Amino acid sequence: MEAQAYPDVSLQLAKTDDPLPTVSKQIRPPRMAQGLRVSVMAGSDAGARSASSQSKLFVGRSPKAELRLTDPTASVFHVELAVDGDGIVVRDLESLNGTYYQGARIRDATVPSGATLQVGSSLVRVERVTDPESTYAALLESLGETAFGKWKM
C-alpha cells in the first residue's frame, strides 16, 4: 500500500504480508499541549511560582491572577502572557508602572521562553512549557479503536 504524502504525518501503519491483523491509518500528530510557567526571581514575592496548562496567564495583585503579586508597584491586572509559536506574547494591561524587557518598556511584544520581565519592581521569568503526557494521551485518542480494543496509556 502506497502512503499518501502529508507533511504532518508522524506515523503510518500499513498492511503487510504478515498474517496478523494490522491497521492502515493516516495519523496526524496532535499539537503538543502547551502552557506557561512564571517565577518571581526578585522582589517582595521572590520564589513565588505559577504554572498553567492554559496558553494564557495573568500576573498582578488581583486574587484572580494566576501569579498573584503583593508588590505595591504592580497593578491589579498588570500583564497578560500567552503562548505564541516558540515565544511568549507579553501584553501590558495599561499598568501604571509598566512592563519592561531588557530595560525597554513594552506594551505588546513577543519574548523568548526564559525571558526575564520587570513587572512593577519585581523580576519575573516567563517560560513556555509543554506537557508530553497530555500530548501522548491525545495521540492515543486519535488512534481510536483497533481490532484489539482501545489504545491505553
Side-chain angles (χ1 to χ4, degrees):
M1 170 180 254
E2 191 170 313
Q4 294 178 355
Y6 289 103
D8 58 346
V9 170
S10 65
L11 173 68
Q12 181 179 23
L13 304 174
K15 292 182 179 178
T16 65
D17 293 334
D18 191 343
L20 292 175
T22 58
V23 177
S24 178
K25 182 174 185 175
Q26 295 286 336
I27 301 170
R28 294 177 190 249
R31 291 184 177 265
M32 182 71 80
Q34 298 181 12
L36 292 163
R37 181 173 43 227
V38 185
S39 309
V40 180
M41 307 307 287
S44 57
D45 300 295
R49 293 175 168 221
S50 181
S52 174
S53 60
Q54 304 300 312
S55 60
K56 193 179 285 189
L57 186 141
F58 291 93
V59 177
R61 290 186 295 117
S62 171
K64 294 182 179 180
E66 284 83 1
L67 179 63
R68 184 172 185 213
L69 301 175
T70 59
D71 178 352
T73 62
S75 294
V76 175
F77 281 101
H78 195 102
V79 67
E80 175 186 24
L81 306 169
V83 173
D84 181 41
D86 291 332
I88 299 168
V89 174
V90 179
R91 188 167 64 105
D92 185 86
L93 300 174
E94 299 182 18
S95 65
L96 182 63
N97 293 312
T99 302
Y100 293 82
Y101 174 62
Q102 295 184 338
R105 187 170 185 161
I106 57 175
R107 295 197 193 292
D108 196 343
T110 301
V111 299
S113 181
T116 299
L117 306 172
Q118 182 179 338
V119 175
S121 60
S122 300
L123 293 179
V124 177
R125 180 183 169 109
V126 296
E127 298 173 279
R128 181 177 156 263
V129 294
T130 55
D131 180 3
E133 189 171 304
S134 295
T135 302
Y136 181 65
L139 176 61
L140 290 179
E141 182 65 29
S142 73
L143 291 172
E145 291 284 332
T146 69
F148 303 106
K150 197 150 177 68
W151 292 92
K152 294 182 181 172
M153 238 169 88

